Amino acid sequence: MRPILLSGHERALTQIKYNRDGDLLFSVSKDQQICVWFAHNGERLGTYHGHQGAIWTIDVDPTSTILASGSADNTIRLWEIKTGRLLKTWDFPTAVKRVEFSEDGSKLLGVTEKRMGHLGTIVVLDIKLDVDAEQSDEKVMTIVCEDSKATVAGWSYLSKYIIAGHEDGSVSQFDGKNGDLLYNIPIHELNQPITDLQWSHDRTYFITASKDKTSKLITAKDLEVLKTYPADTPLNSATITRKKDYVILGGGQAAMDVTTTSARQGKFEARFYHKIFESEIGRVRGHFGPLNTVAADPTGKSYASGGEDGYVRIHHFDKGYYDFMYEVERERQNKLNQQQQQQTVSA
Amino acid sequence: MAPSFDHLRDEDLDEDDFDVDEVDISDIREKYEVQLEQGYDAFVVVDGLPEVTEEQKPKLVKFLLKKLNTVGKTREDLIFMPMGEDGKSMRFAFVEYSSPAEAAAACRQLDLVPLDKKHTLRVNKLTDVDRYGREGRIDDEYTPPQIEEFQEKEHLRSFMADPSGRGRDQFVMFRGETVGFSGNNEKDTPENIVDRQHWTETFVQWSPLGTYLTSVHAQGVQLWGGPSWTRQRRFAHPFVNLVAFSPNEKYLVTWSNRPISIPEEGHPALSLDTPAAATAEGDAPKKAPKFPWPAFKWSADDKYVARLNPGQSISVYELPRMNLLDKTAIKIEGVVDFDWAPATVQRDGVKTYEQLFCFWTPEIGSNPARVGLMSIPSKQVVRSLNLFSVSDAKLHWQSEGAYICVKVDRHSKSKKSQATTLEIFRVKEKGVPVEVVDTIKDTVINFAWEPKGDRFVIISTTEPVGATAVPPKTSVAFFCPEKAKGNAVGNFKHLRTLEKKNSNAIYWSPKGRFVVVATVANTQSSDLDFYDLDFEGEKPESDKDLTANLQLMNTADHYGVTDVEWDPSGRFVATWASAWKHSMENGYHLYDFKGEQLREEAIEKFKQFQWRPRPATLLSKEEQKAIRRNLREYSRIFEQEDAERISSADVAVVEARRHLLEEWFAWRESIVQEVAEEREIYGLPADPAAELIKAKTSELSTDGEEQVIEEIMEEVLEETEEIVQ
């Protein structure tokens, strides 16, 4: 199907995110704008004004009530999605590179940049999922990353752990309650920063993307690497699709490294891999800059990518996408269908 | 009596006014300190001289001096030749050089040098003679040296036996810092044989028959081989840059742009089979960096090696003794280039053994340029050809030495325009007739003979070749002989020209018939055209008298290709983009001979790809013919095997996938259950957000009445346009 091209940003995209129902798509970019779009037709619902710096990150709570954003103006802001009203601003000494709600929306974590003598930190804030409630100023918890700064972080299932990806290619597991470091495991190549970390729907495992040109599927519980997806270009983002067992990777040669001799050098494509078999299935072209962020619709109907070129492209999947199956998958499907039939018959 | 330690007087022990450390004795020390063995280091002993009488002696000394002064400085009065009681010399002499370094050089370079036909010099350091030859150092009784028990070495040709029985060729890949060998597996991942980090420092090179792999290091070169890839031999040559083998792998020449500086070590030329290393003249490594490579050219049977002295002569050395043939270089005034016949040629009507080489000289003064064919060892010019208005010439031998094509670039009288003629010597025919192809109007930039065949391809361009940003358009032309009666080869005729190409390189299949015409090292285009010259389809009427039927089979594109190589069997073509030339999309492609891509792999910092050469077949002509006759039967067997292998590979893949799938769902099941249990313990709902959403929707619905949202979608099913008149 033809992709929907969203041209609402004037500068490079930094993150895009679907809400839980998959009907809204939020996008932030370096042009200090937050946009929200209808995912099914690409119509813009509105924008959120207030940030005074490039916005690095965004997240939406599970009920699609509140929006959190982190920016280079050293703030995390909370917005009411419906009205665009600014609910709360937290100030930090440095830029905020990542925000994420916990699975029930009661907590928000923020990753702050290491700069000007400040170490990189992961802060946790308590959130009341009520647009009229007073949000607390207090930080519930602050984790200081002394060795290598965290670039990305997220909450695991039950908010049990905070998982962080670091600049040196390692992944840490912190206790979600008290912030103790439980593990720090070198997962990606040394000193190749982890650029993205996205969860499976039940937050039991996650996918990382790294500049070392690989993406890995890792368990939240004991940081075991389940799968590795090799690409031929530095990766900026990776996501796990619903309904089908695929992962989507996005990346491309960094703008400053792109040679002028050949457009094909850039490799500005979204790559689909089979999640379980680790084999590449296909690529989607279209962007004319590196892909900075990819997101999969939680309902499995579409995916979107945001590029350095300032565009967001929403792709709705065709029938062929759903029909495609490896023979062993089909085998399993048939078996399951049979079992179901038997059950209904016996019932 | 001078004060000594034994007779100490009391006043000598008066420490108040006498401090040993204060006394400066350095001048005395310098004067009297005994320098061990110094003084003899500059002496050498020359053995193996002829026996002379007192009268003949000055003559011999004078003659000897000439030799001795080639490596250092010595004088007549520094040569001492002891005479025996019978008035005859004792056949050796002591020689003093002006420095120990010169003496060392003399031992290195003059030892084993023939003085005349009967006598060979042996030169040793006097200190060595003293050290090893002194009385008592050598047992009077002969004790036989212990001969080490024979240890069987690995078979160096074991690579010829492919364990899968498919006769797959091997190749070496040098990527990043790793060197690895693999067996060609066509479409599948190559089967890795061995992979080592930092195996070489600069590049790797196969020996011509594929027996050894050469790795190049700062200290020298190493040869590797055998089934377990052990080191076979090591040759020290500091800062070596280039390596060249003789055609039969007997000899190896290494070259460095720095002079050999470590004494006692490093010979520019080393032999593999003879324990005494044949040392070429030591001046070779000292030449300027623009030294022509290979510096030494070998005859096809490794019997002779020759070196060009540009503009003057060609020195031909006999192996294994490495002595100059007939003791003099062959004087050819103005000689620019020469090349040995790549195979031992049997000329019509010539019975004696000979090796041929071809050389050319440019126009000097009013003398015309000349191309000559010389026979060695007789040094006879068997054929020569005079040419006028020549600006350059290149020599191209056909692989069997049956033809040599001299590509002559001629300028017009005004020296403005250039045109090329091809002068083809039919070496095997009586009297070596020369045929001229002068129908080409343009400058020919590339030429290649069909291996073992008699057809050739040229690439020509109208514009002068220079360092232009956009390479000029080229045309590719095919030539083949006319049909002739019997076994004779007819005149070379133009077959076809393909205009407006970008191609700049020609790669013939080692078995002939197929040729790849490619555009390499070009940023704009990178075509690979695969041609068949014996196409089995219909032949155009115009070509019916020619011995070729040209057909373009396929055109492939490999972006940024820098090198192309056929495998030794002529079944596959590897093309690669080397990180040595540029850093874009480094990696290799593999094609079959039809130009169908089998494999493509992008590897960062991919540097080098080289097929392992194979030695010549051991089958006789008849056996080969028999195989060709029954080819259909053989191919049926192979096809069957291929099909079986593919299907079994498929089964294995499916099995592996099934396993992965099971593993994954097993893990999912366990983790889902675990999380559910944990949730229950904490008293959390199964779905953390479900409750929240429910709460929110109920809140919303109480706010206002239920809303119906209608969306109208329009879809155009068909659109027809009719023009109504």
Side-chain angles (χ1 to χ4, degrees), chain B residues 432-446:
Chain B
V432 192
V434 177
E435 189 180 330
V436 183
V437 176
D438 55 1
T439 51
I440 309 152
K441 297 281 177 300
D442 308 329
T443 317
V444 175
I445 54 169
N446 214 329

Side-chain angles (χ1 to χ4, degrees), chain B residues 187-202:
Chain B
K187 280 184 190 167
D188 304 325
T189 325
E191 184 185 314
N192 201 42
I193 298 166
V194 61
D195 219 353
R196 286 180 198 170
Q197 285 277 327
H198 302 284
W199 201 344
T200 181
E201 281 171 33
T202 46

Side-chain angles (χ1 to χ4, degrees), chain A residues 63 160 213 221 331, chain B residues 604 658 668 674 678 696:
Chain A
T63 61
K160 199 173 171 187
K213 306 187 178 179
K221 195 179 157 210
E331 212 175 84
Chain B
E604 210 150 305
R658 188 171 293 139
R668 280 296 299 157
E674 194 182 315
E678 240 174 291
K696 196 179 171 193

Side-chain angles (χ1 to χ4, degrees), chain B residues 593-649:
Chain B
F593 68 95
K594 299 192 292 291
E596 233 163 80
Q597 187 173 321
L598 300 173
R599 227 184 123 64
E600 155 173 13
E601 204 174 339
I603 298 170
E604 210 150 305
K605 289 189 188 137
F606 187 89
K607 290 176 184 156
Q608 205 184 358
F609 185 106
Q610 223 172 18
W611 291 102
R612 187 172 199 171
R614 281 165 176 264
T617 178
L618 298 173
L619 299 180
S620 68
K621 277 235 165 88
E622 287 71 38
E623 284 170 307
Q624 289 184 45
K625 240 181 218 160
I627 287 178
R628 215 164 289 147
R629 218 172 22 241
N630 301 327
L631 197 60
R632 203 158 285 177
E633 236 159 82
Y634 287 108
S635 62
R636 211 194 59 227
I637 297 166
F638 283 123
E639 267 159 27
Q640 205 172 339
E641 275 179 15
D642 280 354
E644 271 167 27
R645 196 175 49 252
I646 288 164
S647 65
S648 71

Side-chain angles (χ1 to χ4, degrees), chain B residues 343-357:
Chain B
T344 308
V345 185
Q346 191 66 51
R347 275 192 298 146
D348 192 32
V350 176
K351 294 276 183 295
T352 50
Y353 166 83
E354 64 171 0
Q355 289 290 331
L356 294 171
F357 70 76

Side-chain angles (χ1 to χ4, degrees), chain A residues 24 33 42 78 108 119-120 132 134 147 166 174 193 202 207 225 249 253 256 259 268 292 294 304 309 316 347:
Chain A
L24 297 179
Q33 283 235 44
L78 228 49
L108 181 74
L119 287 169
D132 300 322
E134 180 84 12
D147 283 343
H166 294 271
F174 298 97
D202 64 353
I207 189 166
V225 177
L249 316 184
Q253 209 68 253
M256 56 188 288
T259 49
F268 310 132
N292 285 343
V294 289
D309 57 9
H316 288 266

